[in-house]
């Protein structure tokens, strides 16, 4: 008996013969074998990784090089809820050797499943370092966590409410446990007098998810009222205490403001507007008889016998149109009555400031003609007045249109130019008897003395002055 070995050098079928010589002669043994291609893979050895929702566990994956070549594992692409602990890759793995890889399992959903992750590696064969990927399967199992509920608004005070009014409040709650919170609904507990739930509903809330329920209160009379809102869940019932006070009818209206400041505007050139709202907070309809006219420069709407139901509102506007500089004040009187036919008067004060306006103009400078016909001559055009930064921002002066009556044959206009940085000349029209153009000024243009904004360039024909 003797031993022999077979080590293929390539993935093909091979054959060989062994000759045995004896005194009886020569015997031949025929050998056959086949080289199989290297699998080029790693094997994963791991039991099911187990944990609970809102908990975590560290586990060890054992990777084994089942190929016949040296492997360099560059990375493992792992997806949540499994995380690869840092500082373990890259690593080299010789043939037949194993390496432990530490992972962390942080489940957020209960149940059993498997996840796949990809190993990115290189097989080192001489100068060949080709990159290969292989998918590894990891079984995981997560137990259910314990759900919980937290009320974010507790207790709830709806305040003092007129017996002819109503109010609403929103009660927010959150899933603060370690698993999905199933809410079966909401209901009123204890004394429900005056209280009701307008949007009771069932819902499933993921961990940290919020929801709410709306509580309506209509005072059944004067005094303190209280009740409980019960939120029913798989984690038990959550009780939120609510209270409110019913107060007598005020018998008056509610104003959004008793004084309006209409600000500062440029007299003549600008205006401003504001508004106020009044609400019928009584238990019965009222009639708005009139709104007195404010003195100039304030202008208000005209109201005559306007009916206003309980809880209804009316919005009125006031304009400020100063025609001269100064500080102005005025007032409005709102007259109304209810079922008692008693006239009531409510005062709204008004104030505003008119800023000085800006006066602008243009002028020409006389041109001196040349002593020789055809020589150049200019006609400067100036803007007069003054414009500071505040006025420039308010007015937004961007262009000046100029039209000249050209009633002379002594000057022949050629073109129009400007020396103001950022300005342009547009819409030039030179017809018989007219020279017209527009000067487009840069944003924020200001001046304090007469400033040349354009020049009409001409040819002169004889000596004269214009």
């Amino acid at each position: 008996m003797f031993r022999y070995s077979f080590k293929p050098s390539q993935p093909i079928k091979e054959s060989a013969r062994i000759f045995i010589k004896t005194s009886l002669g020569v015997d031949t043994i025929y050998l056959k074998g086949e080289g199989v291609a290297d699998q080029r893979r790693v094997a994963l050895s791991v039991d099911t990784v187990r944990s609970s929702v809102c908990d975590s566990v560290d586990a060890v994956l054992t990777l084994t090089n089942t190929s016949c070549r040296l492997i360099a594992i560059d990375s493992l692409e792992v997806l949540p809820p499994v995380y690869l602990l840092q500082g373990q890759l890259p690593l080299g793995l010789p043939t037949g050797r194993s390496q432990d890889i530490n992972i962390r399992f942080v489940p957020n959903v209960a149940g059993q499943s498997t996840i796949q992750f990809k190993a990115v590696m290189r097989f080192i064969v001489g100068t060949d370092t080709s990159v290969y990927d292989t998918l590894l399967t990891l079984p995981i199992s997560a137990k259910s966590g314990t759900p919980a509920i937290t009320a974010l608004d507790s207790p709830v005070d709806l305040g003092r409410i007129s017996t002819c009014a109503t109010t609403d409040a929103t009660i927010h709650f959150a899933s603060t446990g370690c698993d999905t919170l199933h809410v079966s609904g909401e209901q009123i507990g204890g004394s429900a007098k005056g209280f009701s739930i307008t949007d009771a509903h069932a819902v499933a809330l993921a961990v940290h998810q919020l929801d709410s329920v709306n509580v309506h209160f209509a005072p059944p009379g004067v005094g303190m009222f209280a009740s409980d809102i019960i939120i029913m869940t798989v984690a038990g019932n959550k009780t939120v205490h609510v209270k409110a006070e019913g107060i007598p009818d005020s018998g008056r209206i509610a104003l959004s403001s008793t004084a309006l400041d209409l600000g500062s505007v440029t007299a003549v050139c600008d205006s401003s507007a504001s508004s106020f709202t009044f609400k019928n907070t009584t238990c019965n309809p009222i009639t708005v008889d009139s709104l007195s006219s404010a003195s100039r420069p304030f202008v208000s709407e005209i109201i005559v016998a306007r009916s206003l139901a309980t809880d209804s509102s009316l919005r009125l506007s006031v304009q400020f149109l100063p025609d001269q500089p100064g500080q102005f004040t005025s007032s409005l009187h709102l007259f109304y009555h209810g079922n008692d036919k008693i006239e009531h008067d409510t005062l709204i004060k008004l104030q505003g400031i008119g800023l000085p306006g800006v006066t602008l103009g243009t002028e020409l400078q006389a041109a001196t003609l040349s002593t020789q016909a055809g020589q150049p001559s200019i006609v400067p055009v100036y803007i007069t007045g003054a414009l500071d930064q505040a006025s420039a921002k308010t007015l937004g002066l961007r262009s000046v249109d100029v039209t000249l009556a050209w009633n002379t044959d002594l000057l022949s206009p050629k073109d129009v130019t400007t020396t103001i940085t950022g300005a342009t000349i547009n819409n030039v029209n030179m017809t018989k008897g007219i020279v017209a153009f527009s000067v487009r000024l840069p944003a924020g243009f200001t001046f304090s003395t007469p400033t040349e904004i354009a020049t009409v360039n001409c040819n002169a024909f004889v000596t004269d002055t214009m």
Side-chain angles (χ1 to χ4, degrees):
M1 182 180 68
F2 60 90
R3 296 178 180 274
Y4 67 92
S5 63
F6 174 54
K7 185 177 181 180
S9 59
Q10 52 186 332
I12 61 174
K13 292 181 179 181
E14 302 277 2
S15 63
R17 290 179 296 173
I18 297 177
F19 298 101
I20 302 176
K21 294 181 180 182
T22 68
S23 59
L24 299 177
V26 177
D27 287 333
T28 303
I29 299 175
Y30 295 91
L31 303 176
K32 292 183 180 180
E34 182 178 358
V36 180
D38 184 7
Q39 294 290 325
R40 298 198 177 196
R41 59 179 298 176
V42 292
L44 171 65
S45 300
V46 65
D47 293 330
T48 300
V49 181
R50 304 177 185 276
S51 186
S52 300
V53 176
C54 284
D55 199 358
S56 65
V57 66
D58 288 348
V60 175
L61 307 181
T62 301
L63 299 180
T64 302
N65 182 359
T66 58
S67 74
C68 59
R69 295 170 174 80
L70 173 65
I71 294 177
I73 301 178
D74 295 322
S75 65
L76 292 176
E77 298 180 3
V78 184
L79 297 177
V82 175
Y83 301 88
L84 178 68
L85 301 186
Q86 295 182 352
Q88 303 182 80
L89 299 175
L91 61 85
L93 197 58
T95 300
R97 297 289 297 275
S98 298
Q99 177 68 43
D100 289 341
I101 300 295
N102 297 302
I103 62 169
R104 181 164 295 157
F105 177 39
V106 188
N108 54 13
V109 178
Q112 293 184 343
S113 63
T114 58
I115 64 170
Q116 286 190 324
F117 58 95
K118 183 167 62 176
V120 181
M121 51 195 178
R122 290 173 289 118
F123 289 85
I124 312 300
V125 183
T127 59
D128 180 12
T129 58
S130 302
V131 177
Y132 296 87
D133 296 342
T134 187
L135 292 178
L136 304 174
T137 301
L138 174 67
I140 58 175
S141 177
K143 294 181 180 180
S144 298
T146 302
I149 179 174
T150 299
L152 305 181
D153 307 292
S154 181
V156 176
D157 188 348
L158 283 77
R160 308 175 76 240
I161 311 300
S162 170
T163 53
C164 60
T166 63
T167 189
D168 292 272
T170 301
I171 298 175
H172 298 88
F173 53 92
S175 171
T176 54
C178 292
D179 205 350
T180 300
L181 175 69
H182 293 274
V183 179
S184 57
E186 301 87 13
Q187 66 181 23
I188 297 289
S191 173
K193 199 172 182 180
F195 295 94
S196 62
I197 297 175
T198 59
D199 63 344
H201 61 288
V203 66
L205 301 179
V207 177
H208 303 312
Q209 187 176 352
L210 301 177
D211 198 26
S212 63
V213 60
N214 189 73
V215 180
H216 181 76
F217 176 65
V222 176
M224 292 298 301
F225 300 88
S227 186
D228 292 324
I229 306 302
I230 301 176
I231 305 170
M232 298 170 290
T233 78
V234 295
N237 295 343
K238 187 68 177 180
T239 300
V240 179
H241 186 68
V242 294
K243 67 178 181 178
E245 181 182 0
I247 60 175
D249 177 18
S250 65
R252 300 187 63 82
I253 64 173
L255 279 173
S256 61
S257 177
T258 57
L260 296 180
D261 186 351
L262 286 95
S264 301
V265 298
T266 303
V268 180
C269 298
D270 206 352
S271 65
S272 65
S274 186
S275 62
F276 64 94
T277 301
F278 59 93
K279 180 180 181 180
N280 179 9
T281 57
T282 71
C283 293
N284 299 289
I286 64 173
T287 299
V288 180
D289 299 310
S290 64
L291 180 66
S292 66
S293 299
S295 59
R296 299 287 298 177
F298 299 96
V299 179
S300 60
E301 296 183 44
I302 298 176
I303 298 294
V304 177
R306 181 78 64 85
S307 179
L308 197 60
T310 298
D311 283 337
S312 296
S313 298
L314 190 61
R315 186 181 184 88
L316 294 174
S317 62
V318 180
Q319 285 186 299
F320 179 46
L321 304 163
D323 55 4
Q324 59 183 347
Q327 186 168 351
F328 300 90
T329 59
S330 185
S331 61
L332 294 171
H333 289 268
L334 177 67
F335 299 98
Y336 66 96
H337 70 271
N339 292 341
D340 56 7
K341 304 299 182 182
I342 298 176
E343 189 76 16
H344 300 276
D345 176 10
T346 298
L347 180 68
I348 301 97
K349 296 181 180 180
L350 309 174
Q351 69 177 27
I353 298 175
L355 300 175
V358 178
T359 302
L360 302 176
T362 56
E363 67 178 22
L364 297 177
Q365 186 182 77
T368 301
L369 305 185
S370 172
T371 57
Q372 295 183 3
Q375 292 299 308
S377 184
I378 61 172
V379 178
V381 179
Y382 290 81
I383 187 170
T384 59
L387 191 66
D388 58 19
Q389 290 185 350
S391 297
K393 184 177 180 180
T394 302
L395 294 176
L397 180 64
R398 296 306 307 274
S399 65
V400 177
D401 296 329
V402 179
T403 301
L404 305 177
W406 206 265
N407 298 321
T408 178
D409 293 328
L410 302 179
L411 292 174
S412 176
K414 298 189 302 179
D415 57 31
V416 182
T417 58
T418 181
T419 58
I420 296 177
T421 302
T424 58
I425 302 297
N426 304 300
N427 305 321
V428 178
N429 181 20
M430 296 182 181
T431 59
K432 186 172 181 61
I434 291 179
V435 174
F437 55 89
S438 175
V439 184
R440 179 71 174 177
L441 298 170
F445 175 72
T446 61
F447 64 97
S448 57
T449 59
T451 300
E452 181 181 325
I453 60 170
T455 300
V456 181
N457 301 301
C458 312
N459 284 332
F461 291 99
V462 296
T463 301
D464 200 351
T465 59
M466 182 182 78

